[in-house]
Amino acid sequence: MKKIFSLIVVLAMFGYVSAQKITIGNVDNTTYPKINVSVTLTEKGEAQQGDFKLIEKEKEVPFTFAKDNSTSGPSGRNICFLIEASGYTRGAAIDQFKKAVSDALGTITENDKVNVCYFGKANSDGKTLNVLSAEFTSDKNILVNEIKNKIVAAKDTNRIADVFKGIYECLDFFNSKQDLTGNKILIVLSAAINNSRSPIKAEDCIEKSSKFNIPIYTITYRTSNKYAADNFIRLSDKTNGKSASAKSTSEISSAITGFMGAADKAAAPAGNNYIITFDASQSGESNGFDILYKGEKVSGTYAVPEGQQSFIGKYWWLFLIGGVVILAIILVVVLMSAKGKKAKAEENARLKNLEERNIQLQEQMRQSSNQRTMVPPTQEAQKFDLKRTQIGGGGGTPTLMVSAGSFAKNFPINKMKMTIGRNADNDVVIPETTVSGSHAAIVNEGGNWFIVDNNSTNGTFVNGTKVSKQRLNSGDMIKLGGANLKVVF
């Protein structure tokens, strides 16, 4: 039972790696829009074009397939070391990391490409990763000197360590070097305690590692935190890497040697390299594609050469902002149009209501006029006697019926002269802007009633004819601006 348990622990510490069938090497964009992708197979035997599928923008695209005879044997190793230089590793840990990596660099060959990066906490620009060399190199002496002089774990009582952010940024940097052919591995040396304000988690690193096909090998420096190693065991296990725990330079060096040996074993045998060529359908700065080989998927990226990027591909964000602005303008126009239609509908309803009230008033005036005209002829022929009407009560008081918009009122004609206008001092006050302040007057001359215009702005009309003075008969229609009047004797 103890032996089985020990085997499980060993497998958990060093990771169980299933062999990959395919890896992506160099992605050549020099003949864009044609993209040439170098792929390496670990299986023996000749591959056929039908074994592959190429996916771009979630659609299968055609490609050409050819044997790559430019390689006569396994390609060199592409190794990136990532060292934690934080408050957690200050002191013995950082010294042992630097010594072990420097010793490992002594074993590289001229075919190997190597780089060393380090991280602690994010700087003022939010970046965590620091790189010793802009490009991967086989010049070990330069890197050893840079490790000695530049990698320093600053004193930090807060012990901020952006572990996963550092790994995440290092994967991006590693993948951006598209001149590297063959397998790539990332070796991380850290205390594995992610004390960070960054939202990046282990799952984000796992996803990016799978996308770029870069396995992550981890060495956890043993600390008092007994759970720290679990983070790196899971990270390596999920990315086809391996994990180890160490406390001394010799243990760290041993783990690195084993990891670099795993990279050698993963190298493809001679004659099992192919070139896949396809026409790019994307024009941005970073464009992704997937290659499927017998059900296994690997992902790669290509960039459009400088100067060949389309305006849309390069400035897509301008079109996005423009689209948002246009949508906002359309929304404002629609809302204003809806508001205008609502206001117009309300105004039409108001005018219709006023029209109906005017029609009702006119009908009342017509009925009143008809009743007046039904007086027996002997009475109709009698002359109007204002004194008899007002004092004696015979015949009733003459009436002036007024309608102006929503205003409607009947005024008794009980004076020899009745002034009409908009001003409050008139006998007949009509609150209508088209009626002058002192518009006209109704006067009695010799027992007959006359309408007299008072030089009004909009004139005085009797039965549709403009007048300055006109004798009135019962039922005559008078128009003063926008006001309608009817006299009933």
Side-chain angles (χ1 to χ4, degrees):
M1 189 68 180
K2 289 184 177 179
K3 290 183 178 179
I4 295 175
F5 180 76
S6 298
L7 179 60
I8 293 173
V9 171
V10 171
L11 290 175
M13 291 295 292
F14 291 98
Y16 177 75
V17 183
S18 60
Q20 285 185 286
K21 298 175 184 177
I22 180 174
T23 58
I24 292 178
N26 185 47
V27 180
D28 182 10
N29 66 348
T30 55
T31 58
Y32 179 86
K34 287 194 177 298
I35 303 297
N36 300 299
V37 184
S38 299
V39 297
T40 301
L41 304 180
T42 59
E43 293 185 328
K44 295 180 179 180
E46 293 290 330
Q48 304 298 320
Q49 183 163 348
D51 297 332
F52 296 85
K53 288 184 180 179
L54 195 144
I55 308 296
E56 192 176 13
K57 295 197 298 188
E58 299 183 355
K59 292 183 179 180
E60 187 173 346
V61 297
F63 62 91
T64 60
F65 173 80
K67 192 76 176 286
D68 183 7
N69 297 316
S70 63
T71 56
S72 57
S75 60
R77 298 169 296 185
N78 301 296
I79 303 172
C80 184
F81 293 95
L82 178 61
I83 300 173
E84 178 183 341
S86 74
Y88 285 111
T89 60
R90 178 179 170 83
I94 192 68
D95 293 337
Q96 291 170 5
F97 284 165
K98 291 165 62 174
K99 178 67 167 61
V101 172
S102 297
D103 291 345
L105 292 177
T107 66
I108 68 171
T109 69
E110 61 181 11
N111 293 325
D112 296 329
K113 296 292 184 179
V114 185
N115 208 335
V116 179
C117 306
Y118 63 99
F119 71 92
K121 63 179 179 180
N123 59 24
S124 58
D125 295 329
K127 297 295 184 181
T128 301
L129 188 70
N130 299 283
V131 180
L132 293 188
S133 175
E135 302 296 334
F136 281 68
T137 179
S138 58
D139 191 338
K140 56 188 176 184
N141 294 326
I142 291 179
L143 290 176
V144 169
N145 188 58
E146 292 287 280
I147 290 172
K148 179 180 179 182
N149 296 321
K150 288 190 176 181
I151 300 181
V152 176
K155 186 176 182 180
D156 180 12
T157 56
N158 294 323
R159 291 190 173 185
I160 303 299
D162 290 304
V163 176
F164 295 128
K165 183 175 175 62
I167 295 173
Y168 192 87
E169 292 180 2
C170 191
L171 286 168
D172 278 328
F173 170 71
F174 204 170
N175 184 68
S176 69
K177 304 305 174 182
Q178 298 187 4
D179 59 329
L180 301 177
T181 59
N183 293 341
K184 302 175 183 178
I185 69 168
L186 173 61
I187 300 177
V188 182
L189 300 89
S190 169
I193 301 174
N194 186 57
N195 181 19
S196 170
R197 296 184 180 89
S198 169
I200 296 175
K201 306 299 181 186
E203 287 71 18
D204 301 309
C205 297
I206 292 169
E207 181 181 355
K208 189 170 286 286
S209 169
S210 300
K211 179 180 179 181
F212 295 157
N213 193 32
I214 302 175
I216 302 174
Y217 292 75
T218 58
I219 298 174
T220 303
Y221 191 82
R222 289 194 295 271
T223 63
S224 58
N225 188 331
K226 61 182 179 179
Y227 301 106
D230 294 342
N231 295 327
F232 275 11
I233 291 173
R234 181 166 59 91
L235 185 64
S236 296
D237 183 58
K238 295 292 185 180
T239 61
N240 291 329
K242 290 185 177 183
S243 180
S245 178
K247 186 67 174 180
S248 65
T249 303
S250 61
E251 290 178 345
I252 297 170
S253 296
S254 178
I256 293 175
T257 300
F259 294 165
M260 294 175 69
D264 287 335
K265 291 179 182 179
N272 215 18
N273 303 301
Y274 300 88
I275 299 292
I276 291 178
T277 303
F278 66 96
D279 290 324
S281 62
Q282 303 173 76
S283 57
E285 295 181 356
S286 180
N287 311 288
F289 64 91
D290 298 319
I291 295 178
L292 278 70
Y293 174 70
K294 294 183 178 181
E296 181 179 312
K297 182 175 77 171
V298 291
S299 302
T301 60
Y302 64 86
V304 177
E306 189 68 28
Q308 296 189 44
Q309 293 181 16
S310 67
F311 183 82
I312 295 176
K314 192 171 183 179
Y315 298 104
W316 60 270
W317 52 274
L318 288 176
F319 290 88
L320 178 62
I321 294 173
V324 171
V325 171
I326 291 173
L327 288 175
I329 292 173
I330 292 174
L331 180 61
V332 170
V333 170
V334 169
L335 291 176
M336 291 181 64
S337 176
K339 186 177 181 180
K341 288 180 180 179
K342 182 179 179 181
K344 186 175 181 180
E346 292 175 349
E347 177 65 14
N348 289 338
R350 188 184 70 83
L351 293 176
K352 184 177 180 180
N353 183 52
L354 291 176
E355 183 179 358
E356 291 175 351
R357 292 182 62 182
N358 281 334
I359 291 174
Q360 292 175 359
L361 177 61
Q362 290 174 6
E363 178 63 20
Q364 292 174 1
M365 295 170 68
R366 184 185 65 78
Q367 291 176 0
S368 177
S369 176
N370 290 340
Q371 291 175 359
R372 296 281 186 180
T373 56
M374 291 174 65
V375 177
T378 56
Q379 295 182 13
E380 184 180 6
Q382 295 178 357
K383 281 190 177 183
F384 176 78
D385 188 339
L386 180 63
K387 183 176 180 181
R388 180 173 63 85
T389 299
Q390 295 176 336
I391 301 174
T397 303
T399 302
L400 184 64
M401 306 173 71
V402 180
S403 172
S406 60
F407 176 79
K409 187 175 181 180
N410 295 342
F411 293 87
I413 305 176
N414 52 15
K415 295 171 60 176
M416 296 296 287
K417 180 178 180 180
M418 299 281 291
T419 59
I420 307 170
R422 193 177 68 253
N423 293 339
D425 58 355
N426 288 289
D427 298 310
V428 177
V429 179
I430 304 175
E432 165 62 42
T433 56
T434 57
V435 175
S436 296
S438 179
H439 198 111
I442 293 179
V443 298
N444 189 284
E445 296 180 359
N448 295 309
W449 292 103
F450 290 84
I451 182 77
V452 180
D453 184 71
N454 191 25
N455 295 320
S456 63
T457 301
N458 293 315
T460 299
F461 296 79
V462 176
N463 297 326
T465 302
K466 187 175 184 180
V467 300
S468 59
K469 183 176 181 181
Q470 174 69 36
R471 180 177 178 274
L472 297 174
N473 296 308
S474 181
D476 280 347
M477 298 297 299
I478 304 169
K479 186 171 180 62
L480 308 180
N484 296 309
L485 297 78
K486 184 177 181 177
V487 290
V488 179
F489 300 144

